[in-house]
Amino acid sequence: MTPLTALPQFPWLSLLIGLPLAGALLCLLQRRSVGECRWLALATTLATLAVSVWLFIVHGDGQSGWLLREDAEWIPSFGIRYTLALDGISLLLVLLTAFLHTIAVLIAWPEQRRAPLFMA
C-alpha cells in the first residue's frame, strides 16, 4: 500500500481542521432552517470521520515519527509559519474526536431551540 506521504501536496491535516470549521460557519452565517442545519452538521462530521478513518487505515500500522506533516511560511517578515504534524498517538485522538463529533450531532438531533447555534 502506498503511504499517504507520497502525496505531500494535499493538505490532509488542514482538511481535518477546515471541514468542521466550514460547516459551523455555514450553519451560523446562513441562518439555515433547523432541518438544513442538522443535515449540514451531520454531513460535515461524517466527512471528517471518513477522512480520519481513511488516514487511520493508511497510517495505522504503527510507524514511528511523523506520519503526516504540513509546513508553510505564513508571515515570513515575522518568521511565522503554519505547521501541523500527525503521529501515531495524535492519529488515534483525531479519530476519536471525529467519532465523538458524529455521536454528539446524532444525540443532539431532537434539539429544537437554537438548533443552528447548537449544531455549529
Side-chain angles (χ1 to χ4, degrees), residues 18-29:
L19 277 173
L21 183 61
L25 288 175
L26 279 175
C27 228
L28 284 177
L29 296 177

Side-chain angles (χ1 to χ4, degrees), residues 1-115:
M1 192 178 296
T2 304
L4 189 59
T5 54
L7 301 172
Q9 68 273 10
F10 192 80
W12 292 106
L13 300 176
S14 295
L15 180 69
L16 283 174
I17 293 172
L19 277 173
L21 183 61
L25 288 175
L26 279 175
C27 228
L28 284 177
L29 296 177
Q30 296 286 328
R31 293 292 180 186
R32 297 177 180 269
S33 70
V34 172
E36 287 178 1
C37 188
R38 284 181 186 147
W39 286 107
L40 178 65
L42 184 62
T44 303
T45 58
L46 286 175
T48 306
L49 180 63
V51 170
S52 61
V53 165
W54 186 72
L55 287 175
F56 183 76
I57 289 170
V58 171
H59 286 297
D61 56 357
Q63 297 175 1
S64 63
W66 298 121
L67 302 175
L68 285 174
R69 189 169 190 268
E70 295 176 21
D71 187 28
E73 288 187 1
W74 187 22
I75 307 173
S77 60
F78 292 113
I80 297 173
R81 304 185 65 79
Y82 175 77
T83 303
L84 297 172
L86 182 78
D87 64 353
I89 292 175
S90 58
L91 176 60
L92 289 173
L93 293 174
V94 165
L95 184 63
L96 177 65
T97 302
F99 177 71
L100 288 176
H101 278 160
T102 306
I103 296 300
V105 167
L106 291 174
I107 288 173
W109 198 266
E111 174 66 30
Q112 292 295 322
R113 290 187 53 227
R114 298 186 209 160

